Amino acid sequence: MLTKKQVNEIKEHLEKAQNPLFFFDNDPDGLCSFIIMRKFCEKGKGVQVKSYPSMNKDYFRKVNELRADYIFILDKPVVDKDFFEEADKNNVPVVWIDHHETDKKTIPDFVHYYNPVFNKSKTNEPVTHLCYQISGRKDDLWLDIVGCTSDKFFSEYYKDFRKQFPELAIDSNEPFDILYKSQIGKVVRILGFALKDTTTNVVNMLKFLIKTKSPYDILEESKKNLAINKRFSQIEKRYTKLLEKAKAIAKKSGKLLFFQYRGDLSISSELSNELGYTFSEKTIIVMRINGPTASFS
């Protein structure tokens, strides 16, 4: 976890910021990190970072476009040098909160960098968990569980979540069990698939999530979450078909399962995770072919 000093420093940065811009990684951990921070400080906008693994200079145009006076980077393992050069040149403070292993020497001196892997008591909780530590808002408990579960991390607050939402939880301390066998796990999958939508729909989702009060706002379909659930249904259908094909191959394979599919929809990580959970004794390789390129999970 972060130290008390680090938490207080981050809170001071949030207080100083008049119009902060939050860049967050393109997954439920990054998403929930932003929503928790936005609910806590009640100001600023969020930008989904789709580039992987690094965040490049092109994203700095959003800083100018939105006239941000502070930059917060959440859950990104790598940020390009030229992005920081633009921030320094424009005199915009940068606060970077992460949990991945990285080379600290590559981080400019003017960047306020927070990562528990460099603390005296080294840990690597998801950034959602760190943001929940910063906010301390009990109303954000469910967001902590969603973000942590998506990152295969068991939150010590899960027992509190079970008391508050017993019908959405299961009796397990295994993140993959929670992800695939509980209703809060379904929320994780809904948000993960909803991030794979158009920029307009993702922006509308952010506005919606900032106002949400519980996971039921997502699970119970309404006009406000129609686009989110529609996107989930679209991807879930394709995902299920691919998963069943992979499972059929797995039953005939040895200790190695190699599965490939084609298309511009990237769901390799989700497929490999569930296949690894279902066939824990096998080595799983999922390959997506999109035009002349191929990516692996």
Side-chain angles (χ1 to χ4, degrees), residues 127-140:
V127 177
T128 295
H129 208 49
L130 304 179
C131 290
Y132 184 57
Q133 180 189 7
I134 294 164
S135 80
R137 283 169 37 95
K138 297 300 181 183
D139 289 346
D140 297 334

Side-chain angles (χ1 to χ4, degrees), residues 226-239:
L226 184 63
I228 297 173
N229 280 285
K230 180 179 179 182
R231 186 57 173 165
F232 171 70
S233 296
Q234 289 173 342
I235 298 180
E236 179 76 356
K237 288 179 182 178
R238 185 174 182 192
Y239 176 83

Side-chain angles (χ1 to χ4, degrees), residues 181-199:
K181 296 180 179 179
S182 73
Q183 285 296 97
I184 195 62
K186 182 178 179 180
V187 174
V188 176
R189 300 195 301 278
I190 288 174
L191 295 183
F193 286 167
L195 282 168
K196 304 176 190 295
D197 207 340
T198 63
T199 299

Side-chain angles (χ1 to χ4, degrees), residues 17-270:
Q18 297 300 308
N19 184 30
L21 184 57
F22 297 87
F23 291 97
F24 61 90
D25 197 20
N26 186 34
D27 62 16
D29 180 27
L31 173 63
C32 290
S33 299
F34 163 63
I35 298 301
I36 288 175
M37 293 289 266
R38 178 60 178 77
K39 283 175 175 282
F40 175 63
C41 71
E42 299 182 329
K43 53 190 173 184
K45 290 183 172 59
V47 174
Q48 169 192 27
V49 180
K50 295 183 178 181
S51 59
Y52 180 84
S54 68
M55 175 176 154
N56 57 43
K57 177 184 176 181
D58 293 342
Y59 282 95
F60 196 84
R61 63 181 178 79
K62 297 298 294 185
V63 178
N64 293 324
E65 180 185 322
L66 298 171
R67 298 182 180 180
D69 67 339
Y70 241 98
I71 296 169
F72 289 82
I73 302 172
L74 306 173
D75 195 34
K76 283 303 297 181
V78 183
V79 179
D80 287 354
K81 181 181 177 181
D82 53 11
F83 179 91
F84 288 134
E85 288 174 348
E86 287 297 311
D88 192 24
K89 185 168 61 178
N90 288 274
N91 198 31
V92 183
V94 178
V95 177
W96 185 3
I97 306 173
D98 192 35
H99 69 126
H100 300 91
E101 291 283 353
T102 190
D103 185 356
K104 211 171 182 180
K105 295 177 182 178
T106 63
I107 303 168
D109 292 337
F110 79 93
V111 174
H112 305 281
Y113 184 73
Y114 300 93
N115 189 329
V117 301
F118 294 113
N119 290 345
K120 189 174 181 180
S121 299
K122 294 183 178 182
T123 55
N124 66 339
E125 297 88 354
V127 177
T128 295
H129 208 49
L130 304 179
C131 290
Y132 184 57
Q133 180 189 7
I134 294 164
S135 80
R137 283 169 37 95
K138 297 300 181 183
D139 289 346
D140 297 334
L141 171 62
W142 68 276
L143 287 165
D144 173 65
I145 302 305
V146 169
C148 286
T149 300
S150 74
D151 227 44
K152 298 85 189 173
F153 180 84
F154 181 73
S155 170
E156 67 267 30
Y157 303 117
Y158 184 70
K159 61 181 179 180
D160 298 323
F161 175 80
R162 283 185 62 197
K163 291 178 182 178
Q164 188 175 353
F165 300 101
E167 63 285 353
L168 304 185
I170 59 171
D171 183 11
S172 175
N173 60 1
E174 293 294 330
F176 273 141
D177 285 343
I178 297 169
L179 179 60
Y180 299 119
K181 296 180 179 179
S182 73
Q183 285 296 97
I184 195 62
K186 182 178 179 180
V187 174
V188 176
R189 300 195 301 278
I190 288 174
L191 295 183
F193 286 167
L195 282 168
K196 304 176 190 295
D197 207 340
T198 63
T199 299
T200 298
N201 284 343
V202 170
V203 169
N204 287 335
M205 176 177 67
L206 298 183
K207 293 177 181 178
F208 165 72
L209 290 175
I210 289 169
K211 297 178 181 178
T212 55
K213 295 181 179 180
S214 85
Y216 288 113
D217 292 335
I218 298 168
L219 288 169
E220 296 174 354
E221 294 189 28
S222 66
K223 289 183 180 179
K224 293 180 180 179
N225 65 27
L226 184 63
I228 297 173
N229 280 285
K230 180 179 179 182
R231 186 57 173 165
F232 171 70
S233 296
Q234 289 173 342
I235 298 180
E236 179 76 356
K237 288 179 182 178
R238 185 174 182 192
Y239 176 83
T240 300
K241 287 182 180 179
L242 291 173
L243 183 65
E244 291 307 313
K245 286 182 180 179
K247 284 181 176 179
I249 294 172
K251 291 175 181 178
K252 300 176 183 178
S253 67
K255 292 186 177 182
L256 173 66
L257 167 59
F258 178 81
F259 178 70
Q260 70 176 49
Y261 70 101
R262 293 179 178 274
D264 57 0
L265 180 63
S266 177
I267 48 177
S268 303
S269 177
E270 290 85 354

